[in-house]
Amino acid sequence: MSACGEVKDNLNLDASVTSRARCNPAASFGVPTPLSSLNTPSDDERADLSSDELAIYFSSTRPGGVGGFDIYKATRASSTEPFGTATLVTGMNTTADERGPRMTADGLSLFAYSRPTSTSPQHITLATRTGNTLPFGGLQVIAQVDGTTDDVDPYILQNGNVLYFTSNRAGNYGLYRSSKIAGAFSTPTQVSGVNLDLPGIENSPVVTPDELTLYWSSDRPGGSGGLDIYVATRPTTADGFGAPVALTNLNTASLDTPTWISPDGCVLYFSRAEANVGFQLYFAMRGP
């Protein structure tokens, strides 16, 4: 009988270890790690990952593309391995710029921002497909979201029902939100919070699935460089976000912009402008 009891205790211990969180959500992010398997001497930026972290979408100006910035995808067998060779996402890249891809959890909708010509405003766009093995259709402007100025940096929640993005429709670059109502996105409203809308640049919103934690980049005074990564939280979605906190261990004198946070909040992906190279892909993990 005692032997059976010991087996049961071991099984309970194993289950506890298996279900243990991989990070302390209150811990700071550690030293940033470059995605060496994907970075090139060209611009590689704005990574978006699947929730299991096995697929990554990003934009790049690397040779072999269709236009300036194009959208690429790479995969890996486990979240601890490097990503494999990046390939162009078929059906959406053109001779214009396509940047900042964002995929919904079902793999059927991909958001990005694009500039049809070098002198036109940038637009939030959407491409869809009817199956995960099929190519996407072309990127189309989302009429309900579109403004007459620049709209960039889309961040779609995995269910596809809430869209955050950056726009200068009010005269400076700020953060906006639109939710899906009866199958269509609502008129965007500016994201509210303490000192969230300053005269300079507030861009590249990244939001946790519960919409209670917001990461973004800003050129506000007191930072480390051109654009720095900040975080703010709120108790409920009915509240505005609290005071911004700079992620000083990630920020540099260059341009640092967040692009994706894992559902458990343990891993943050971001882009950093490197001297004599361009934007490069990075990630940082919280400690235990």
Side-chain angles (χ1 to χ4, degrees), residues 22 52-54 76-83 269 283 285:
R22 62 172 171 168
D52 60 8
E53 300 176 40
L54 301 184
R76 58 186 176 184
S78 80
S79 61
T80 59
E81 295 180 16
F83 284 102
Y269 278 72
F283 72 92
M285 295 192 66

Side-chain angles (χ1 to χ4, degrees), residues 113 122-124 150-154 164-167 173 203 205:
Y113 69 97
Q122 300 179 95
H123 304 279
I124 304 295
D150 283 334
D151 296 323
V152 297
D153 307 333
Y164 284 78
F165 65 99
T166 305
S167 178
Y173 283 98
N203 69 358

Side-chain angles (χ1 to χ4, degrees), residues 106-186:
D106 61 11
L108 302 181
S109 298
L110 190 148
F111 295 75
Y113 69 97
S114 58
R115 186 196 298 272
T117 70
S118 60
T119 58
S120 66
Q122 300 179 95
H123 304 279
I124 304 295
T125 54
L126 168 63
T128 60
R129 60 184 176 183
T130 56
N132 288 331
T133 61
L134 300 175
F136 283 97
L139 288 164
Q140 303 295 322
V141 172
I142 305 172
Q144 307 94 315
V145 172
D146 195 39
T148 58
T149 58
D150 283 334
D151 296 323
V152 297
D153 307 333
Y155 195 85
I156 189 74
L157 295 194
Q158 286 283 281
N159 61 15
N161 290 331
V162 178
L163 174 69
Y164 284 78
F165 65 99
T166 305
S167 178
N168 64 346
R169 62 187 61 194
N172 62 295
Y173 283 98
L175 309 179
Y176 288 78
R177 178 186 185 276
S178 172
S179 59
K180 214 175 241 188
I181 300 173
F185 282 101
S186 61

Side-chain angles (χ1 to χ4, degrees), residues 223-235:
S224 301
L227 284 173
D228 294 306
I229 302 172
Y230 289 81
V231 63
T233 62
R234 58 184 176 181

